[in-house]
Amino acid sequence: MLIVKKFGGTSVGSPERIMNVAIRCVEDFKKGHDVVVVLSAMGKTTDELIALAHKVNPKPQKRELDMLMTTGEQVSVAMMAMAMDSLGVRAISLNAFQVAMHTTSQYGSARLKRIDSERIHHELEDRKIVIVTGFQGINKYDDLTTLGRGGSDTTAVALAAALHADACEIYTDVDGVYTADPRIVKSAKKMPVITYDEMLELATLGAGVLHNRSVEMAKKYGVTLVVRSSLNYSEGTVVKEDTGVEKLLVSGVAVDKDADRVSVIGLKDQPGIAFRLFDTLAKANINVDMILQSIGRDGTKDISFTCDDGVMDDAIKAIEGAKGRLQYKGIDTRADVAKVSIVGAGMMTNPGVAAKMFEALYNEDINISMISTSEIRVTVLIDEKDAERAATAVHDAFKLSD
Ligand code: ASP
Ligand code: MG
């Protein structure tokens, strides 16, 4: 078997943990498998490198920031090769340049385009464990790029697809994917399996276990993923196309406290207004999430949307900058709001799921200020102070802890 094993920052956060990971990989190698290891930077290294950059320049050039950040993963892979060598096993570390992991040119948010697999195959045939830097690639200028925060998962999935691996295991510091964040909902439990689509919704909602592009890519190339802990041998969660069991109405609850709400009040109730507003935001590179438009009254209407709290100020600035074109009366914002979502592949074909969620919130006397849905997700925007209570109530209503 060819196995790709990816370990996140906490899993390689110290020399002891690196040794522990080395031992785990060697176990598979000694069983006769081909082993490719993808690593993140040690612990909080990436954050520290970014902070370091800001000490000399408040706006570091993206190219140089990538050059700096990619050193983090390079430390991990070299350390891992040395740890394996100390266990008497042949291993070789490779960075993005040496593999040749080709990406698009955008620094900081590059996308993988193509992976040359010859070097890796060659090293595997030579019976070595191959250790590859996650998160990085090279672009057409032969510069190092990064794939966006959390991007090592995507490196692992892309490698698994390119190498036609038999398994792709994503190791982290939790036991798998949970029905809710166990720090928020005490009765949350680990899911044995989940579909790509559900995982994609959860990843996008900020469940934090997997980089959402890695799930997109796994779905596209049919790579079955296993998310499991590097600290114990529990089985983890399998992410795949069809779970083989009857689709659950709701499989998980997600909470996102990062959301902020912006309302533009008193817009003209005429064609083209929504276009102008969201065009303004798009040009300012602001991602909006939920959108709500009120019905027109006295010739005016309001449009509200949510965005990440990091970009709210930019959003307001962009809207104010376009006041002449948008002609609104005022802007109203709130930062202390949270999104609570339910995700489940079965809701596509079953009515009443949203109603049940709203009932659970009503029973807790929690007010909903915005609602959005997809085929397999219902999201509500509520006061941030109610987020934990809401998540627990909804989790209980769908009996996710049974
Ligand atoms: N080290 C990078 C980060 O912290 C990539 C990763 O961990 O996946 O975002
Ligand atoms: Mg991660």
Side-chain angles (χ1 to χ4, degrees), residues 6 40 150 153 208-211:
K6 181 259 167 180
S40 294
D153 297 336
V209 251
L210 283 175
H211 193 225

Side-chain angles (χ1 to χ4, degrees), residues 223-271:
V223 176
T224 298
L225 303 179
V226 183
V227 179
R228 54 191 302 193
S229 170
S230 62
L231 308 170
N232 61 47
Y233 281 81
S234 81
E235 263 176 22
T237 300
V238 176
V239 189
K240 57 183 187 174
E241 185 65 57
D242 196 347
T243 57
V245 289
E246 200 188 333
K247 291 195 170 61
L248 291 172
L249 273 187
V250 171
S251 49
V253 177
V255 175
D256 178 5
K257 293 185 180 174
D258 268 351
D260 284 358
R261 175 181 59 71
V262 177
S263 299
V264 188
I265 315 287
L267 289 154
K268 280 218 173 73
D269 188 20
Q270 65 184 39

Side-chain angles (χ1 to χ4, degrees), residues 6 40-41 46 73 135 148-153:
K6 181 259 167 180
S40 294
T46 310
E73 272 66 18
F135 179 54
R149 297 304 306 272
S152 297
D153 297 336

Side-chain angles (χ1 to χ4, degrees), residues 50-321:
I50 294 170
L52 184 65
H54 284 93
K55 291 212 167 118
V56 293
N57 188 334
K59 261 191 163 298
Q61 313 94 292
K62 290 199 162 153
R63 179 191 181 277
E64 303 308 332
L65 200 54
D66 277 0
M67 188 71 164
L68 182 68
M69 285 195 290
T70 49
T71 61
E73 272 66 18
Q74 213 164 301
V75 169
S76 301
V77 294
M79 291 287 287
M80 188 59 69
M82 295 174 197
M84 288 174 178
D85 177 69
S86 79
L87 296 171
V89 171
R90 296 171 73 214
I92 182 166
S93 64
L94 299 173
N95 66 14
F97 216 98
Q98 293 166 312
V99 173
M101 311 261 298
H102 302 273
T103 69
T104 56
S105 44
Q106 307 98 302
Y107 303 101
S109 57
R111 285 177 174 258
L112 283 164
K113 286 200 310 196
R114 183 169 53 83
I115 298 177
D116 299 338
S117 51
E118 297 84 48
R119 176 80 189 261
I120 295 180
H121 279 307
H122 171 79
E123 302 292 354
L124 290 173
E125 272 155 32
D126 200 22
R127 262 327 261 165
K128 286 184 200 136
I129 296 182
V130 179
I131 310 156
V132 180
T133 47
F135 179 54
Q136 60 180 248
I138 49 167
N139 66 14
K140 63 180 179 210
Y141 311 112
D142 275 357
D143 281 342
L144 285 158
T145 53
T146 63
L147 309 179
R149 297 304 306 272
S152 297
D153 297 336
T154 302
T155 307
V157 175
L159 271 174
L163 300 170
H164 305 287
D166 301 286
C168 184
E169 304 168 347
I170 309 286
Y171 288 84
T172 172
D173 52 348
V174 292
D175 284 354
V177 184
Y178 277 71
T179 51
D181 184 336
R183 288 167 303 186
I184 294 179
V185 179
K186 297 282 166 287
S187 57
K189 62 168 214 205
K190 190 178 74 190
M191 299 183 234
V193 293
I194 181 170
T195 65
Y196 292 125
D197 289 334
E198 289 170 319
M199 191 63 233
L200 204 51
E201 293 278 8
L202 288 172
T204 310
L205 292 167
V209 251
L210 283 175
H211 193 225
N212 62 354
R213 285 229 306 278
S214 73
V215 187
E216 259 167 33
M217 193 176 288
K219 179 177 157 86
K220 183 164 165 202
Y221 294 102
V223 176
T224 298
L225 303 179
V226 183
V227 179
R228 54 191 302 193
S229 170
S230 62
L231 308 170
N232 61 47
Y233 281 81
S234 81
E235 263 176 22
T237 300
V238 176
V239 189
K240 57 183 187 174
E241 185 65 57
D242 196 347
T243 57
V245 289
E246 200 188 333
K247 291 195 170 61
L248 291 172
L249 273 187
V250 171
S251 49
V253 177
V255 175
D256 178 5
K257 293 185 180 174
D258 268 351
D260 284 358
R261 175 181 59 71
V262 177
S263 299
V264 188
I265 315 287
L267 289 154
K268 280 218 173 73
D269 188 20
Q270 65 184 39
I273 293 296
F275 161 65
R276 274 185 225 160
L277 173 61
F278 292 104
D279 182 53
T280 301
L281 293 165
K283 289 200 171 120
N285 225 333
I286 289 158
N287 257 322
V288 302
D289 180 28
M290 305 169 90
I291 297 175
L292 180 77
Q293 173 175 309
S294 70
I295 54 164
R297 204 176 287 145
D298 304 327
T300 70
K301 65 185 173 191
D302 309 332
I303 296 181
S304 303
F305 62 88
T306 62
C307 59
D308 280 353
D309 57 8
V311 300
M312 179 156 87
D313 290 344
D314 293 343
I316 296 168
K317 217 180 282 164
I319 297 168
E320 283 173 350

